Amino acid sequence: MNRIWITGFRSYDLGIFNNKDPKLAIINFALNKLLTNAIYDNCNWLITGGQLGIEQWAVEEALRLKQTNFPDFQIALMTPFLDFGKNWQEGKRDKLTSLKQAVDFSSSVFASNYESPKQLQAYQEFMLNHTDRAIIFYDQEAESSRARFDYQAMKNYASNHNYPVMLIDLDRLQDYADEYQLEKSDYLE
């Protein structure tokens, strides 16, 4: 079994507040490329969380790939605790519920509601121990991003384990944007 964890920026970190934002097309393009390459590299599970942003977009892109080209690819959505997302707006809670129902497996690491930040650290440890590699959309210059905690945990874990971590920073996202524009212009010709 070959499992990948994809995480990173939250939607608000990138200033994306709706599905019509043009930045989302670039992110979905990047996720499609990354997931497709991972699948061709024998990855058979995406295991990620339900955070708004990269995690949910990764699930959506994996579901599209599963439906169109890779029916055997499996998707797991793991939340840190039972009441994850309870303080979100109704539409965002509904989307999380919909994604949980669409994936192959969904559960919470803790079978209890939120109690302390230690649950989040234990969630990171769970994700690292149950995946074989990671892709994180994160830029060290982005001071406000909560993804920095996941990135640090990944780096620490990788220093003692065979655990490749691919960093997709803002420069790499720009490369994807350029590639997206090139493919889009080639398609229109």
Side-chain angles (χ1 to χ4, degrees):
M1 188 178 315
N2 190 323
R3 304 152 302 177
I4 191 167
W5 177 18
I6 298 179
T7 190
F9 289 119
R10 309 310 190 247
S11 52
Y12 52 83
D13 290 330
L14 298 169
I16 298 175
F17 300 104
N18 63 60
N19 288 338
K20 295 180 182 175
D21 191 306
K23 291 179 279 199
L24 189 52
I26 306 303
I27 290 168
N28 286 334
F29 176 81
L31 285 166
N32 180 288
K33 294 275 187 188
L34 292 162
L35 282 165
T36 299
N37 288 339
I39 292 167
Y40 283 133
D41 197 25
N42 297 318
C43 179
N44 46 23
W45 275 93
L46 166 66
I47 303 176
T48 193
Q51 284 286 355
L52 300 168
I54 295 297
E55 291 181 348
Q56 287 191 8
W57 299 327
V59 169
E60 291 171 334
E61 196 58 41
L63 287 167
R64 281 190 283 275
L65 286 169
K66 183 178 176 84
Q67 185 177 37
T68 58
N69 297 326
F70 305 102
D72 296 332
F73 189 64
Q74 303 289 297
I75 306 159
L77 193 156
M78 300 297 299
T79 60
F81 38 84
L82 287 177
D83 62 349
F84 178 81
K86 77 172 185 169
N87 296 327
W88 295 354
Q89 296 171 347
E90 183 179 358
K92 292 176 182 177
R93 287 193 313 266
D94 291 346
K95 181 178 177 184
L96 178 61
T97 299
S98 174
L99 289 174
K100 285 180 180 179
Q101 293 169 349
V103 298
D104 300 289
F105 181 81
S106 180
S107 188
S108 296
V109 173
F110 284 92
S112 62
N113 291 336
Y114 179 78
E115 296 168 7
S116 79
K118 290 185 184 227
Q119 288 171 296
L120 299 174
Q121 184 177 10
Y123 170 78
Q124 287 175 332
E125 291 172 21
F126 173 89
M127 295 299 283
L128 291 166
N129 287 316
H130 289 85
T131 56
D132 303 295
R133 55 186 160 146
I135 297 173
I136 184 163
F137 285 67
Y138 170 67
D139 196 292
Q140 295 179 35
E141 303 300 315
E143 297 174 23
S144 67
S145 178
R146 298 184 54 89
R148 72 180 176 273
F149 300 113
D150 291 332
Y151 182 60
Q152 191 59 52
M154 288 171 181
K155 281 182 24 182
N156 291 344
Y157 187 80
S159 69
N160 297 312
H161 299 83
N162 180 15
Y163 191 83
V165 176
M166 178 184 286
L167 175 65
I168 307 297
D169 60 13
L170 294 177
D171 289 337
R172 184 64 183 109
L173 270 178
Q174 183 59 54
D175 293 342
Y176 279 114
D178 296 344
E179 187 179 345
Y180 173 79
Q181 289 300 328
L182 186 61
E183 284 190 20
K184 192 174 172 184
S185 65
D186 287 347
Y187 177 77
L188 294 175
E189 289 179 0

